[in-house]
Coordinates of all heavy atoms in Angstrom, one line a residue:
M1 N -84.6 -54.3 -16.1 CA -84.3 -53.0 -16.4 C -85.5 -52.1 -16.1 O -86.6 -52.4 -16.4 CB -83.9 -52.9 -17.9 CG -83.5 -51.5 -18.3 SD -82.5 -51.3 -19.8 CE -81.1 -52.3 -19.4
R2 N -85.2 -50.9 -15.5 CA -86.2 -50.0 -15.1 C -86.3 -48.8 -16.1 O -85.2 -48.4 -16.6 CB -86.0 -49.4 -13.7 CG -86.1 -50.5 -12.7 CD -86.0 -50.0 -11.3 NE -84.8 -49.1 -11.1 CZ -84.8 -48.2 -10.1 NH1 -85.8 -48.1 -9.2 NH2 -83.8 -47.5 -9.9
N3 N -87.4 -48.3 -16.3 CA -87.6 -47.1 -17.2 C -88.0 -46.0 -16.3 O -89.0 -46.0 -15.6 CB -88.7 -47.4 -18.2 CG -88.9 -46.2 -19.2 OD1 -88.0 -45.4 -19.3 ND2 -90.0 -46.2 -19.9
I4 N -87.1 -45.0 -16.2 CA -87.3 -43.8 -15.3 C -87.8 -42.6 -16.1 O -87.2 -42.2 -17.1 CB -86.0 -43.5 -14.6 CG1 -85.3 -44.7 -13.9 CG2 -86.2 -42.3 -13.6 CD1 -86.1 -45.3 -12.8
A5 N -88.9 -42.0 -15.6 CA -89.4 -40.8 -16.2 C -89.0 -39.6 -15.3 O -89.0 -39.7 -14.1 CB -90.9 -40.9 -16.3
L6 N -88.6 -38.5 -16.0 CA -88.2 -37.3 -15.3 C -89.1 -36.1 -15.8 O -89.4 -36.0 -17.0 CB -86.8 -37.0 -15.7 CG -85.7 -38.0 -15.5 CD1 -84.4 -37.6 -16.1 CD2 -85.5 -38.2 -14.0
C7 N -89.5 -35.3 -14.9 CA -90.1 -34.0 -15.2 C -89.1 -32.9 -14.9 O -88.8 -32.7 -13.7 CB -91.4 -33.8 -14.4 SG -92.3 -32.3 -14.9
L8 N -88.6 -32.3 -15.9 CA -87.5 -31.3 -15.7 C -87.9 -29.9 -15.8 O -88.8 -29.6 -16.6 CB -86.4 -31.6 -16.8 CG -85.9 -33.0 -17.0 CD1 -85.1 -33.1 -18.2 CD2 -85.1 -33.4 -15.8
T9 N -87.3 -29.1 -15.1 CA -87.4 -27.6 -15.2 C -86.0 -27.1 -15.4 O -85.1 -27.5 -14.7 CB -88.0 -27.0 -14.0 OG1 -89.3 -27.5 -13.8 CG2 -88.0 -25.5 -14.1
Y10 N -85.7 -26.3 -16.5 CA -84.4 -25.8 -16.7 C -84.4 -24.5 -17.4 O -85.3 -24.1 -18.1 CB -83.5 -26.8 -17.5 CG -84.0 -27.2 -18.9 CD1 -83.7 -26.4 -20.0 CD2 -84.8 -28.3 -19.1 CE1 -84.1 -26.7 -21.2 CE2 -85.2 -28.6 -20.4 CZ -84.9 -27.8 -21.4 OH -85.3 -28.1 -22.7
L11 N -83.3 -23.8 -17.2 CA -83.0 -22.5 -17.9 C -82.1 -22.9 -19.1 O -81.0 -23.4 -18.9 CB -82.4 -21.5 -17.0 CG -83.2 -21.1 -15.8 CD1 -82.4 -20.1 -14.9 CD2 -84.5 -20.4 -16.2
G12 N -82.5 -22.6 -20.3 CA -81.8 -23.0 -21.4 C -80.8 -22.0 -22.0 O -80.2 -22.2 -23.1
T13 N -80.6 -20.9 -21.3 CA -79.8 -19.8 -21.8 C -78.4 -20.3 -22.2 O -77.9 -19.9 -23.3 CB -79.6 -18.8 -20.7 OG1 -80.9 -18.3 -20.3 CG2 -78.8 -17.6 -21.2
G14 N -77.8 -21.2 -21.5 CA -76.4 -21.7 -21.8 C -76.3 -22.9 -22.7 O -75.3 -23.4 -22.9
Y15 N -77.5 -23.3 -23.3 CA -77.5 -24.5 -24.1 C -78.0 -24.2 -25.5 O -78.7 -23.3 -25.8 CB -78.5 -25.5 -23.4 CG -78.0 -26.0 -22.0 CD1 -78.6 -25.4 -20.9 CD2 -77.0 -26.9 -21.9 CE1 -78.2 -25.8 -19.6 CE2 -76.6 -27.3 -20.6 CZ -77.2 -26.7 -19.5 OH -76.8 -27.1 -18.3
H16 N -77.5 -25.1 -26.4 CA -77.9 -25.0 -27.8 C -79.0 -26.0 -28.1 O -78.9 -26.8 -29.0 CB -76.7 -25.3 -28.7 CG -75.7 -24.2 -28.6 ND1 -74.7 -24.2 -27.6 CD2 -75.5 -23.1 -29.3 CE1 -74.0 -23.1 -27.8 NE2 -74.4 -22.4 -28.8
G17 N -80.1 -25.9 -27.3 CA -81.3 -26.8 -27.5 C -81.2 -28.1 -26.7 O -80.3 -28.3 -25.9
W18 N -82.1 -29.0 -26.9 CA -82.2 -30.3 -26.2 C -81.3 -31.3 -26.8 O -80.4 -31.9 -26.1 CB -83.6 -30.8 -26.3 CG -83.7 -32.2 -25.8 CD1 -83.6 -33.4 -26.6 CD2 -83.7 -32.7 -24.4 NE1 -83.6 -34.5 -25.8 CE2 -83.6 -34.1 -24.5 CE3 -83.7 -32.1 -23.2 CZ2 -83.6 -34.9 -23.3 CZ3 -83.6 -32.8 -22.1 CH2 -83.6 -34.2 -22.1
Q19 N -81.3 -31.5 -28.1 CA -80.7 -32.6 -28.8 C -79.2 -32.5 -28.9 O -78.7 -31.4 -29.2 CB -81.3 -32.8 -30.2 CG -80.9 -34.1 -30.9 CD -81.6 -34.3 -32.2 OE1 -82.2 -33.4 -32.7 NE2 -81.6 -35.5 -32.7
I20 N -78.5 -33.6 -28.6 CA -77.0 -33.6 -28.7 C -76.5 -33.1 -30.1 O -77.0 -33.5 -31.1 CB -76.4 -35.0 -28.4 CG1 -76.7 -35.3 -26.9 CG2 -75.0 -35.1 -28.7 CD1 -76.3 -36.7 -26.5
Q21 N -75.5 -32.2 -30.0 CA -74.9 -31.7 -31.2 C -73.4 -31.7 -31.0 O -72.9 -31.5 -29.9 CB -75.3 -30.3 -31.5 CG -76.8 -30.1 -31.7 CD -77.2 -28.7 -31.9 OE1 -76.5 -28.0 -32.7 NE2 -78.3 -28.2 -31.3
K22 N -72.6 -31.9 -32.1 CA -71.2 -31.9 -32.0 C -70.7 -30.5 -31.6 O -71.1 -29.5 -32.1 CB -70.5 -32.3 -33.4 CG -70.7 -33.7 -33.7 CD -69.9 -34.0 -35.0 CE -70.0 -35.4 -35.4 NZ -69.3 -35.7 -36.6
N23 N -69.8 -30.5 -30.6 CA -69.1 -29.3 -30.1 C -70.0 -28.2 -29.6 O -69.6 -27.1 -29.5 CB -68.2 -28.8 -31.3 CG -67.2 -29.8 -31.8 OD1 -66.6 -30.5 -31.0 ND2 -67.0 -29.8 -33.1
L24 N -71.2 -28.6 -29.2 CA -72.1 -27.6 -28.6 C -72.7 -28.2 -27.3 O -73.0 -29.3 -27.3 CB -73.2 -27.2 -29.6 CG -72.8 -26.5 -30.9 CD1 -74.0 -26.3 -31.8 CD2 -72.2 -25.1 -30.6
S25 N -72.9 -27.3 -26.3 CA -73.5 -27.8 -25.1 C -75.0 -27.9 -25.2 O -75.7 -26.9 -25.6 CB -73.1 -26.8 -24.0 OG -73.7 -27.1 -22.8
T26 N -75.5 -29.1 -24.9 CA -77.0 -29.3 -25.0 C -77.5 -29.8 -23.7 O -76.8 -30.4 -22.9 CB -77.3 -30.2 -26.1 OG1 -76.8 -31.5 -25.8 CG2 -76.8 -29.8 -27.5
V27 N -78.8 -29.7 -23.5 CA -79.5 -30.2 -22.3 C -79.4 -31.7 -22.2 O -79.0 -32.3 -21.2 CB -80.9 -29.7 -22.2 CG1 -81.6 -30.3 -21.0 CG2 -81.1 -28.2 -22.3
Q28 N -79.6 -32.4 -23.3 CA -79.6 -33.9 -23.4 C -78.2 -34.4 -23.0 O -78.1 -35.3 -22.1 CB -79.9 -34.4 -24.7 CG -80.0 -35.9 -24.8 CD -80.3 -36.4 -26.2 OE1 -80.1 -35.7 -27.2 NE2 -80.7 -37.6 -26.4
E29 N -77.1 -33.8 -23.5 CA -75.8 -34.2 -23.2 C -75.5 -34.0 -21.7 O -74.9 -34.9 -21.0 CB -74.8 -33.4 -24.0 CG -73.3 -33.7 -23.7 CD -72.4 -32.9 -24.5 OE1 -72.7 -31.7 -24.7 OE2 -71.3 -33.4 -24.8
T30 N -75.9 -32.9 -21.2 CA -75.7 -32.6 -19.8 C -76.4 -33.6 -18.9 O -75.9 -34.1 -17.9 CB -76.1 -31.1 -19.4 OG1 -75.3 -30.3 -20.3 CG2 -75.8 -30.8 -18.0
M31 N -77.7 -33.9 -19.2 CA -78.4 -34.8 -18.4 C -77.8 -36.2 -18.5 O -77.7 -36.9 -17.5 CB -79.9 -34.9 -19.0 CG -80.7 -33.7 -18.7 SD -80.9 -33.3 -17.0 CE -81.7 -34.8 -16.4
E32 N -77.4 -36.7 -19.7 CA -76.8 -38.0 -19.8 C -75.5 -38.1 -19.0 O -75.3 -39.2 -18.4 CB -76.6 -38.3 -21.3 CG -77.9 -38.6 -22.1 CD -77.7 -39.0 -23.5 OE1 -76.5 -39.0 -24.0 OE2 -78.7 -39.2 -24.2
K33 N -74.7 -37.1 -19.0 CA -73.5 -37.2 -18.2 C -73.8 -37.2 -16.7 O -73.2 -38.0 -16.0 CB -72.6 -36.0 -18.5 CG -71.9 -36.1 -19.9 CD -71.0 -34.8 -20.2 CE -70.4 -34.9 -21.5 NZ -69.6 -33.7 -21.8
G34 N -74.7 -36.4 -16.3 CA -75.1 -36.4 -14.9 C -75.7 -37.7 -14.4 O -75.3 -38.2 -13.3
I35 N -76.6 -38.2 -15.2 CA -77.3 -39.4 -14.8 C -76.3 -40.6 -14.8 O -76.3 -41.4 -13.9 CB -78.5 -39.7 -15.7 CG1 -79.6 -38.7 -15.5 CG2 -79.0 -41.1 -15.5 CD1 -80.7 -38.7 -16.6
A36 N -75.4 -40.7 -15.8 CA -74.4 -41.7 -15.8 C -73.5 -41.7 -14.6 O -73.2 -42.8 -14.0 CB -73.5 -41.6 -17.1
M37 N -73.2 -40.5 -14.0 CA -72.4 -40.5 -12.8 C -73.2 -41.0 -11.6 O -72.6 -41.7 -10.7 CB -72.0 -39.0 -12.5 CG -71.0 -38.5 -13.5 SD -70.5 -36.8 -13.3 CE -71.0 -36.3 -11.7
V38 N -74.5 -40.9 -11.6 CA -75.3 -41.4 -10.5 C -75.6 -42.9 -10.6 O -75.4 -43.6 -9.6 CB -76.7 -40.7 -10.5 CG1 -77.6 -41.3 -9.4 CG2 -76.5 -39.2 -10.1
V39 N -75.9 -43.4 -11.8 CA -76.3 -44.8 -12.0 C -75.1 -45.7 -12.2 O -75.2 -46.9 -12.2 CB -77.4 -45.0 -13.0 CG1 -78.7 -44.3 -12.6 CG2 -76.9 -44.6 -14.4
G40 N -74.0 -45.2 -12.6 CA -72.8 -46.0 -12.8 C -72.6 -46.6 -14.2 O -71.8 -47.5 -14.4
H41 N -73.4 -46.2 -15.2 CA -73.3 -46.7 -16.5 C -73.9 -45.6 -17.5 O -74.6 -44.7 -17.1 CB -74.0 -48.0 -16.8 CG -75.5 -48.0 -16.5 ND1 -76.4 -47.6 -17.4 CD2 -76.2 -48.3 -15.4 CE1 -77.6 -47.7 -16.9 NE2 -77.5 -48.1 -15.7
S42 N -73.5 -45.7 -18.8 CA -74.0 -44.7 -19.7 C -75.4 -44.9 -20.0 O -75.9 -46.0 -19.9 CB -73.2 -44.7 -21.0 OG -73.3 -46.0 -21.6
V43 N -76.1 -43.8 -20.2 CA -77.6 -43.9 -20.5 C -77.9 -43.0 -21.7 O -77.1 -42.1 -22.1 CB -78.4 -43.4 -19.3 CG1 -78.2 -44.3 -18.1 CG2 -78.1 -41.9 -19.0
H44 N -79.0 -43.3 -22.4 CA -79.6 -42.5 -23.4 C -80.8 -41.9 -22.9 O -81.8 -42.6 -22.6 CB -79.8 -43.3 -24.7 CG -80.5 -42.5 -25.8 ND1 -79.8 -41.5 -26.5 CD2 -81.8 -42.5 -26.2 CE1 -80.7 -41.0 -27.3 NE2 -81.9 -41.5 -27.1
V45 N -80.9 -40.6 -22.8 CA -82.1 -39.9 -22.3 C -82.9 -39.5 -23.6 O -82.4 -38.8 -24.5 CB -81.7 -38.6 -21.5 CG1 -83.0 -37.9 -21.1 CG2 -80.9 -39.0 -20.3
T46 N -84.2 -39.9 -23.6 CA -85.1 -39.5 -24.6 C -86.0 -38.4 -24.1 O -86.7 -38.6 -23.1 CB -85.9 -40.7 -25.1 OG1 -85.0 -41.8 -25.5 CG2 -86.9 -40.4 -26.2
G47 N -86.1 -37.3 -24.8 CA -86.9 -36.2 -24.5 C -88.2 -36.2 -25.2 O -88.4 -36.9 -26.2
C48 N -89.2 -35.5 -24.7 CA -90.6 -35.5 -25.3 C -90.6 -34.6 -26.6 O -91.6 -34.7 -27.3 CB -91.6 -34.9 -24.3 SG -91.3 -33.2 -23.8
G49 N -89.5 -33.9 -26.9 CA -89.5 -33.1 -28.1 C -88.2 -32.4 -28.1 O -87.3 -32.6 -27.2
R50 N -88.0 -31.5 -29.1 CA -86.8 -30.8 -29.2 C -87.0 -29.3 -28.9 O -88.2 -28.8 -29.0 CB -86.2 -30.9 -30.7 CG -85.8 -32.3 -31.0 CD -85.5 -32.5 -32.4 NE -84.6 -31.4 -32.9 CZ -84.0 -31.4 -34.1 NH1 -84.2 -32.4 -34.9 NH2 -83.2 -30.4 -34.5
T51 N -86.0 -28.6 -28.4 CA -86.1 -27.2 -28.2 C -85.0 -26.5 -28.9 O -84.0 -27.1 -29.3 CB -86.0 -26.8 -26.7 OG1 -84.8 -27.3 -26.2 CG2 -87.1 -27.5 -25.9
D52 N -85.2 -25.2 -29.2 CA -84.2 -24.4 -29.8 C -83.2 -23.9 -28.8 O -83.4 -24.0 -27.6 CB -84.8 -23.2 -30.5 CG -85.7 -23.6 -31.7 OD1 -85.3 -24.6 -32.4 OD2 -86.6 -22.9 -32.0
A53 N -82.1 -23.3 -29.3 CA -81.1 -22.7 -28.4 C -81.7 -21.7 -27.5 O -82.5 -20.9 -28.0 CB -80.0 -22.1 -29.2
G54 N -81.3 -21.7 -26.2 CA -81.8 -20.7 -25.3 C -83.2 -20.8 -24.7 O -83.6 -20.0 -23.9
V55 N -83.9 -21.9 -25.1 CA -85.3 -22.1 -24.7 C -85.3 -22.6 -23.3 O -84.5 -23.6 -22.9 CB -86.0 -23.0 -25.6 CG1 -87.4 -23.4 -25.1 CG2 -86.2 -22.4 -27.0
H56 N -86.1 -22.1 -22.4 CA -86.3 -22.6 -21.0 C -87.5 -23.6 -21.0 O -88.3 -23.6 -21.9 CB -86.6 -21.4 -20.1 CG -85.7 -20.3 -20.2 ND1 -84.3 -20.4 -20.2 CD2 -85.9 -19.0 -20.3 CE1 -83.8 -19.2 -20.3 NE2 -84.7 -18.3 -20.3
A57 N -87.5 -24.4 -20.0 CA -88.6 -25.4 -19.8 C -89.2 -25.3 -18.4 O -88.4 -25.3 -17.4 CB -88.2 -26.8 -20.2
K58 N -90.5 -25.4 -18.2 CA -91.1 -25.5 -16.9 C -91.4 -26.9 -16.6 O -91.3 -27.3 -15.4 CB -92.4 -24.6 -16.8 CG -92.1 -23.1 -16.7 CD -93.4 -22.4 -16.5 CE -93.1 -20.9 -16.4 NZ -94.4 -20.2 -16.1
C59 N -91.9 -27.7 -17.5 CA -92.2 -29.1 -17.3 C -91.9 -29.9 -18.6 O -92.7 -30.0 -19.4 CB -93.6 -29.3 -16.9 SG -93.9 -31.0 -16.4
Y60 N -90.6 -30.3 -18.7 CA -90.2 -31.1 -19.9 C -90.0 -32.5 -19.4 O -89.3 -32.8 -18.5 CB -88.8 -30.5 -20.3 CG -88.3 -31.1 -21.6 CD1 -88.6 -30.5 -22.9 CD2 -87.6 -32.3 -21.6 CE1 -88.2 -31.1 -24.0 CE2 -87.1 -32.8 -22.8 CZ -87.4 -32.3 -24.0 OH -87.0 -32.8 -25.2
V61 N -90.7 -33.4 -20.1 CA -90.6 -34.8 -19.7 C -89.6 -35.6 -20.6 O -89.5 -35.4 -21.8 CB -92.0 -35.5 -19.9 CG1 -92.0 -37.0 -19.5 CG2 -93.1 -34.7 -19.1
A62 N -88.8 -36.4 -19.9 CA -87.8 -37.2 -20.5 C -87.7 -38.6 -19.8 O -88.2 -38.7 -18.7 CB -86.4 -36.5 -20.5
N63 N -87.1 -39.6 -20.4 CA -86.9 -40.8 -19.7 C -85.6 -41.5 -20.1 O -85.0 -41.1 -21.1 CB -88.1 -41.8 -20.1 CG -88.0 -42.4 -21.5 OD1 -88.0 -41.7 -22.4 ND2 -87.9 -43.7 -21.5
F64 N -85.2 -42.5 -19.3 CA -84.0 -43.3 -19.5 C -84.2 -44.6 -18.9 O -85.0 -44.8 -18.0 CB -82.7 -42.6 -19.1 CG -82.6 -42.5 -17.6 CD1 -81.9 -43.4 -16.8 CD2 -83.2 -41.5 -16.9 CE1 -81.8 -43.4 -15.5 CE2 -83.2 -41.4 -15.5 CZ -82.4 -42.3 -14.8
R65 N -83.5 -45.6 -19.4 CA -83.5 -47.0 -18.8 C -82.2 -47.2 -18.0 O -81.2 -46.8 -18.4 CB -83.7 -48.0 -19.9 CG -85.0 -47.8 -20.7 CD -85.2 -49.0 -21.7 NE -86.4 -48.7 -22.4 CZ -87.6 -49.1 -22.0 NH1 -87.8 -49.7 -20.9 NH2 -88.7 -48.9 -22.8
T66 N -82.4 -48.0 -16.9 CA -81.2 -48.3 -16.1 C -81.4 -49.6 -15.4 O -82.5 -50.1 -15.2 CB -81.0 -47.2 -15.0 OG1 -79.9 -47.5 -14.3 CG2 -82.2 -47.1 -14.1
T67 N -80.3 -50.3 -15.2 CA -80.2 -51.5 -14.4 C -79.9 -51.2 -12.9 O -79.9 -52.0 -12.1 CB -79.2 -52.5 -14.9 OG1 -77.9 -51.8 -15.0 CG2 -79.5 -53.0 -16.3
S68 N -79.6 -49.9 -12.7 CA -79.3 -49.5 -11.3 C -80.5 -49.5 -10.4 O -81.6 -49.2 -10.8 CB -78.7 -48.1 -11.4 OG -78.4 -47.6 -10.1

């Protein structure tokens, strides 16, 4: 299993923060869905911290594990 690190830049205007929340669009949820489509299995993305709704990031570090 490989551990992949990501350095992300994103505009958080359309998101309700980093961490997954019920019925709200979050950066973590969006990343997990996109990565799962690429690697072919579900993943859990761990971020370096949490952000509030609408917060942008210039260099946000996250990671996930994959067998792909």
Side-chain angles (χ1 to χ4, degrees):
M1 183 160 298
R2 298 186 310 157
N3 185 17
I4 307 295
L6 305 168
C7 182
L8 307 171
T9 299
Y10 62 85
L11 298 176
T13 305
Y15 297 100
H16 291 86
W18 168 265
Q19 192 172 18
I20 292 177
Q21 300 179 43
K22 287 185 180 181
N23 303 318
L24 296 173
S25 177
T26 66
V27 179
Q28 182 183 21
E29 177 185 34
T30 302
M31 291 299 302
E32 288 182 359
K33 286 180 180 178
I35 292 169
M37 289 176 19
V38 172
V39 300
H41 60 84
S42 62
V43 296
H44 173 73
V45 178
T46 302
C48 63
R50 294 172 48 171
T51 60
D52 291 330
V55 172
H56 310 313
K58 285 188 178 180
C59 186
Y60 185 92
V61 179
N63 76 299
F64 68 96
R65 296 185 185 277
T66 181
T67 54
S68 175

